Amino acid sequence: EDKWVYPSEQQYYNAMKSKGFNPLPQDVHIILAIHNAVNEQGWNQLLEWEKAYSPTPSPNPPKLKRFMGRPQDLSPKAALLWITGQANRPFDRHDWVVERENGEEVRYVIDFYTGQTDPKDPKPVSMHLDVRPALDSGDALKMRVGRAVDEWKEEWLGKEGGKEGVFSSWVGAATAMVGGGGEGKKEGAAAAAVSEDARAATK
């Protein structure tokens, strides 16, 4: 069963025009491919988080119920990373609400970052997605803390971490757990065909 209902090139072109973008018709198929690939990447990362909640594979995996583009709303984690100089300000943000097998709805926050480029080795513009469950429940807090601890252990005990990496790993663990509660409860109606990540695809 498909997770997404993808728009046609014409639908996507019309949607971008309605949002104030001015894409060239011959470029729409490339932009749409990026849009679809970004959605798939975000979904795969979300499923990795869900494994922490339910390690046993289920015949009824989580389903995307609705999502909302919030490019002007800076999540607490993104704000902390930006203020401390660990990352640039994300250029977009989505809130995705998924439904688990038991009917429970869980909100995820996705921050979109432009990837770093090396002037000596120019490559196509890359993108980084920071996907994590919003801190709306005890389960979400447990998942976030569990991953932060795992990452701290890997850096502290790993070959590249050692004692020199303890401060950065503590900061990483702290920022990994920030977010969710102050991000608001607003959720958009389902619009799986065309979303606000047209902005991300055209950057």
Side-chain angles (χ1 to χ4, degrees):
E1 181 180 352
D2 293 337
K3 298 185 295 294
W4 307 98
V5 179
Y6 286 126
S8 67
E9 292 184 15
Q10 186 62 53
Q11 289 173 322
Y12 200 73
Y13 177 80
N14 293 340
M16 293 186 71
K17 294 287 286 186
S18 71
K19 295 174 189 288
F21 297 100
N22 190 29
L24 296 175
Q26 61 268 29
D27 293 339
V28 172
H29 73 285
I30 298 175
I31 299 172
L32 182 57
I34 295 172
H35 166 275
N36 295 348
V38 169
N39 272 346
E40 292 289 351
Q41 180 184 359
W43 184 253
N44 289 335
Q45 291 188 37
L46 184 152
L47 291 180
E48 286 298 315
W49 275 103
E50 283 296 298
K51 288 180 181 178
Y53 171 77
S54 179
T56 304
S58 169
N60 298 308
K63 299 177 181 178
L64 180 64
K65 294 288 290 185
R66 56 190 177 275
F67 62 86
M68 179 178 178
R70 302 175 62 182
Q72 304 304 320
D73 296 337
L74 196 62
S75 68
K77 179 181 177 182
L80 180 58
L81 291 173
W82 183 37
I83 292 172
T84 57
Q86 297 185 69
N88 294 325
R89 184 187 177 101
F91 65 83
D92 201 1
R93 168 187 167 180
H94 287 179
D95 283 16
W96 288 6
V97 178
V98 300
E99 182 182 25
R100 289 173 173 162
E101 183 180 14
N102 61 2
E104 178 187 8
E105 292 190 354
V106 183
R107 182 168 64 97
Y108 275 80
V109 178
I110 306 176
D111 287 320
F112 296 79
Y113 295 89
T114 300
Q116 300 296 322
T117 57
D118 183 354
K120 298 180 181 179
D121 184 21
K123 296 179 180 179
V125 176
S126 62
M127 210 180 302
H128 169 69
L129 276 61
D130 185 1
V131 182
R132 71 271 186 198
L135 296 181
D136 296 336
S137 68
D139 283 336
L141 176 61
K142 182 179 178 180
M143 291 163 67
R144 292 273 288 268
V145 171
R147 176 168 292 193
V149 170
D150 288 343
E151 291 176 352
W152 183 87
K153 286 180 179 179
E154 183 177 353
E155 185 163 356
W156 174 248
L157 301 175
K159 295 180 180 179
E160 297 181 358
K163 295 183 179 180
E164 291 76 9
V166 66
F167 177 74
S168 62
S169 63
W170 268 115
V171 172
T175 54
M177 291 183 283
V178 172
E183 292 161 355
K185 299 287 184 178
K186 297 182 296 180
E187 298 167 352
V194 180
S195 78
E196 287 290 337
D197 56 7
R199 175 191 299 271
T202 55
K203 289 292 182 178

